[in-house]
């Protein structure tokens, strides 16, 4: 390089040639991103909004940030990877601030896990579910950050060294500009200015060497950390997929659809999920799901055959539906007498056809016994209350599918009654559905008051909207007792309103014996003794 360090003048061209490497670096280093996941403004808003509304996310951030620098950025990346549609977009590592390179390895490993696709089926576009995925991975993120601590620190040092090198390069450019300003017409630079350029170049060379060494150390640390990150990331993703999937299945079992979930405020949804995950409601989810699936199948069977469609063979005396083999008997004189006898007895073989089944048009009202004895458990640990509530919730679905009002009446003793109304044409608020399922009154059993309340509701509907043919389903585990006066009023109301009463006696064979009150009151009655058997109520969903 032209010039010396003793103040001897130098040539500007030689100074420029010697500083060329650092001039290119000083032209401006590209911006380094702090986020691993490429996100648009709306996705960033979704993260900030979710973070602001989730105390659990903020607590996790505070905990991790106390031990690891910029841990909050990693949480944002994990959230965005789960939330983005159609899929996460990761930056090239070269675009990142070096201090985030270890985070890139963590996020890339999470995204590459085989279970990530299953996780995203529940979290994509759903900020609550994406936040839950982050929280479900909290323990693994703690371990991953601890495992990557050395790599993150070395990468951060490499980043600082790189910035120092960039600053040194900028100093070279500044010294050279000053030298150019002082150069004479022949390109000679005064000694002090030339010396300043040379010192700046030496400083830049030293800073560059330090940056390269720091980069090599960071790369080695990142490679060492990556070896253990993959397995831990797969475990974390699998755990998150399981947790998010179980919650989604739980909500679906309770009839909470995706549209309704989107309308629920974040904290309300969190409280609902916690409410359903804990206590006795959690134990009912599987039973409720089975009831809903069974009821859906029975609804499908109701329309599987059209009116008049041939569906089998039966016995009777309808000549128009005789099987060909029976008609053949008429052609044989020796069999005509047999034919006549079987005709008289109604034992001819006929084509069976599916006739129109009369179904109700008015409200569906489920009167559910919640007396103390309903706590009793049957086979499989299922309580009488759980079976009854699951059946009632399936009846709610049935009413909504048929565009009929649904009313749930919970009863026990004569002075204990709760009424839950779910009008047709409106979505059933999940909080009300859960309240209906959770409510338990205790005490003894009185059926007159709930049945009278049901009749009053049907009369209100009949008089106000001219809708009759309502259906009442009485679910109880106790033998019924009613007065003669009440029975007369019941019969009068039944003739006027044209409703049907379906009875379900849970574990009480005596209640359905000959001459029982239930048998006398109900148009259709069944006994359920095996509480693990949802098919015991299947005919309800074909008839209602």
């Amino acid at each position: 390089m032209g010039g010396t360090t003793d103040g001897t003048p130098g040539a500007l061209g030689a100074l420029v040639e010697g500083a060329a490497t650092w001039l290119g670096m000083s032209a401006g280093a590209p911006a380094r991103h702090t986020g691993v996941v490429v996100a648009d403004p709306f996705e960033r808003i979704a993260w900030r909004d979710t973070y602001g509304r989730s105390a659990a996310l903020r607590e996790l951030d505070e905990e991790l940030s106390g031990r690891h620098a910029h841990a909050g950025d990693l949480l944002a990346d994990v959230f965005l990877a789960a939330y983005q549609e159609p899929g996460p977009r990761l930056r090239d590592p070269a675009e990142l601030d070096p201090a985030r390179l270890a985070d890139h390895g963590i996020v890339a490993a999470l995204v590459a896990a085989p279970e990530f696709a299953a996780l995203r089926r529940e979290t994509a576009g759903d900020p609550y579910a994406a936040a839950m995925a982050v929280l479900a991975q909290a323990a693994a993120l703690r371990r991953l950050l601890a495992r990557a601590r050395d790599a993150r620190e070395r990468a951060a040092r490499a980043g600082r060294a790189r910035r120092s090198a960039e600053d040194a390069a900028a100093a070279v450019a500044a010294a050279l500009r000053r030298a150019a300003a002082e150069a004479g017409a022949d390109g000679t630079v005064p000694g002090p200015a030339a010396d300043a350029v040379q010192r700046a170049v030496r400083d830049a060379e030293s800073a560059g060497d330090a940056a390269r060494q720091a980069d090599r150390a960071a790369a080695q640390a990142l490679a060492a950390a990556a070896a253990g990150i993959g397995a831990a990331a797969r475990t974390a993703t699998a755990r998150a997929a399981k947790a998010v999937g179980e919650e989604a299945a739980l909500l679906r079992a309770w009839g909470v659809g995706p549209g309704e979930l989107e309308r629920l405020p974040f904290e309300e949804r969190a409280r609902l999920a916690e409410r359903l995950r804990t206590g006795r409601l959690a134990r009912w989810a599987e039973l409720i799901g089975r009831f809903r699936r069974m009821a859906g199948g029975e609804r499908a069977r109701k329309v599987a055959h059209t009116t008049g469609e041939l569906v089998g063979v039966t016995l009777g005396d309808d000549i128009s539906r005789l099987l060909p083999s029976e008609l053949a008997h008429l052609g044989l004189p020796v069999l005509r007498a047999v034919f006549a006898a079987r005709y008289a007895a109604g034992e001819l073989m006929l084509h069976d056809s599916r006739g129109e089944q009369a179904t109700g048009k008015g409200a569906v009202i489920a009167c559910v016994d919640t007396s103390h004895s309903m706590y009793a458990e049957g086979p499989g640990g299922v309580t009488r209350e759980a079976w009854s509530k699951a059946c009632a919730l399936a009846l709610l679905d049935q009413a909504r599918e048929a565009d009929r009002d649904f009313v749930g009446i919970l009863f026990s003793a004569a002075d204990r009654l709760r009424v839950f109304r779910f009008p047709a044409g409106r979505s059933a608020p999940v909080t009300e559905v859960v309240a209906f399922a959770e409510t338990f009154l205790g005490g003894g059993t009185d059926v007159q008051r709930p049945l009278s309340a049901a009749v009053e509701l049907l009369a209100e509907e009949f008089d106000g909207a001219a809708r009759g043919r309502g259906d009442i389903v009485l679910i109880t585990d106790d033998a019924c007792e009613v007065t003669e006066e009440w029975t007369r009023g019941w019969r009068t109301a039944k003739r006027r309103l044209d409703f049907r009463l379906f009875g379900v006696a849970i574990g009480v064979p005596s209640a359905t014996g000959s001459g029982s009150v239930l048998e006398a009151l109900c148009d259709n009655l069944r006994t359920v003794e095996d509480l693990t058997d949802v098919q015991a109520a299947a005919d309800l969903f074909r008839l209602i």
Side-chain angles (χ1 to χ4, degrees):
M1 171 176 272
T4 65
T5 58
D6 58 1
T8 303
L12 180 60
L15 292 173
V16 170
E17 183 179 351
T21 300
W22 314 107
L23 293 178
M25 184 181 295
S26 69
R32 301 286 179 169
H33 296 281
T34 58
V36 172
V37 178
V38 180
D40 62 38
F42 295 103
E43 291 165 341
R44 291 287 176 189
I45 289 172
W47 161 248
R48 289 195 297 270
D49 183 56
T50 304
Y51 179 88
R53 291 190 289 165
S54 172
L57 279 179
R58 296 194 299 275
E59 290 170 3
L60 179 60
D61 183 14
E62 182 178 358
E63 174 203 337
L64 296 179
S65 296
R67 305 176 197 168
H68 309 280
H70 52 79
D73 290 341
L74 176 60
L75 294 183
D77 284 325
V78 175
F79 170 89
L80 290 168
Y83 174 73
Q84 280 186 340
E85 296 178 295
R89 307 179 295 279
L90 305 191
R91 296 188 191 281
D92 187 286
E95 301 175 358
L96 288 172
D97 182 307
R100 269 64 174 186
L101 289 175
D103 292 354
H104 186 284
I106 291 173
V107 176
L110 292 172
V111 170
E115 296 81 3
F116 188 71
L119 174 65
R120 278 188 42 77
R121 281 195 290 272
E122 302 294 348
T123 61
D126 185 338
Y128 173 87
M132 185 183 174
V134 175
L135 296 172
Q137 296 174 93
L141 288 174
R142 293 185 188 96
R143 291 193 295 272
L144 287 168
L145 284 169
R147 187 185 299 274
R149 181 189 292 277
D150 182 58
R152 294 174 103 240
E153 290 176 351
R154 288 180 180 271
R157 285 198 291 272
R160 292 193 292 271
R162 189 178 298 174
R163 286 191 292 274
S164 295
E166 291 167 355
D167 291 342
V172 171
L176 192 59
R177 283 195 299 272
R178 288 191 295 272
E182 297 179 22
D186 60 353
T188 300
V189 178
D195 290 344
V197 172
Q198 292 176 335
R199 284 195 301 274
V201 169
R202 287 195 296 272
D203 291 344
E205 289 174 344
S206 177
D209 288 341
R212 285 188 289 273
Q213 291 175 5
D215 282 343
R216 285 194 294 271
Q220 292 170 356
L222 287 168
I229 284 176
R234 287 192 294 273
T235 302
T237 305
R239 181 175 291 112
K242 183 174 184 291
V244 174
E246 286 178 350
E247 179 166 304
L250 179 65
L251 291 168
R252 282 193 291 268
W254 281 90
V256 185
E260 186 172 1
L261 285 177
E262 291 174 3
R263 292 191 295 271
L264 282 176
F266 186 93
E267 291 301 334
E268 184 176 338
R269 181 171 170 181
R271 287 194 298 271
L272 172 64
E274 181 64 21
R275 189 175 176 185
L276 295 180
R277 276 196 302 267
T278 58
R280 58 202 181 109
L281 296 186
R283 298 195 299 273
W284 296 2
E286 191 273 336
L287 181 65
I288 291 170
R290 287 171 55 210
F291 254 104
R292 290 183 185 275
R293 290 190 295 272
M294 178 273 291
E298 295 303 320
R299 282 195 296 273
R301 287 183 60 184
K302 289 173 69 173
V303 296
H305 303 289
T306 59
T307 300
E309 181 183 352
L310 300 180
V311 296
V313 176
T314 188
L315 299 179
D317 58 3
D318 186 350
I319 301 295
S320 67
R321 293 192 286 128
L322 281 177
L323 294 184
S325 58
E326 292 283 29
L327 286 171
H329 292 166
L330 289 174
L332 300 174
V334 295
L335 294 178
R336 286 175 185 169
V338 175
F339 179 91
R342 291 176 59 205
Y343 173 73
E347 294 179 352
L348 295 174
M349 296 179 65
L350 313 174
H351 286 297
D352 191 12
S353 63
R354 179 71 54 141
E356 181 181 1
Q357 293 182 341
T359 57
K361 299 297 182 183
V364 176
I365 302 177
C367 297
V368 180
D369 186 350
T370 61
S371 60
H372 281 313
S373 57
M374 293 292 283
Y375 260 132
E377 289 187 358
V382 179
T383 65
R384 296 174 179 180
E385 180 199 12
W387 193 98
S388 302
K389 297 284 183 62
C391 182
L393 292 177
L395 288 169
L396 168 59
D397 288 347
Q398 191 85 349
R400 293 172 71 181
E401 285 290 327
D403 196 28
R404 300 169 66 182
D405 291 349
F406 177 82
V407 181
I409 299 179
L410 305 180
F411 70 92
S412 57
D415 60 342
R416 298 185 181 182
L417 192 80
R418 284 285 305 277
V419 178
F420 294 82
R421 304 185 71 161
F422 301 93
R426 304 181 198 172
S427 61
V430 64
T431 51
E432 280 295 297
V433 173
V434 173
F436 169 65
E438 276 189 321
T439 300
F440 190 85
L441 303 176
T445 305
D446 176 89
V447 300
Q448 288 189 179
R449 188 176 177 206
L451 291 177
S452 295
V455 167
E456 290 173 7
L457 290 168
L458 291 177
E460 177 185 316
E461 183 181 45
F462 182 82
D463 295 334
R467 280 200 302 270
R469 292 171 59 195
D471 291 314
I472 303 172
V473 180
L474 173 64
I475 308 175
T476 183
D477 70 341
D478 204 353
C480 298
E481 294 183 5
V482 294
T483 65
E484 290 186 15
E485 181 181 359
W486 181 91
T487 303
R488 286 193 296 270
W490 169 265
R491 290 173 178 166
T492 299
K494 198 169 188 305
R495 285 192 297 270
R496 185 173 85 90
L497 302 176
D498 190 25
F499 61 80
R500 297 178 295 182
L501 175 62
F502 296 85
V504 181
I506 299 183
V508 191
S510 61
T512 58
S514 178
S516 74
V517 173
L518 265 182
E519 187 179 43
L521 289 176
C522 294
D523 301 286
N524 184 296
L525 178 63
R526 80 274 304 124
T527 296
V528 177
E529 295 189 52
D530 181 359
L531 299 182
T532 63
D533 180 16
V534 301
Q535 292 297 327
D539 65 313
L540 282 176
F541 301 94
R542 290 195 297 271
L543 297 171
I544 292 178

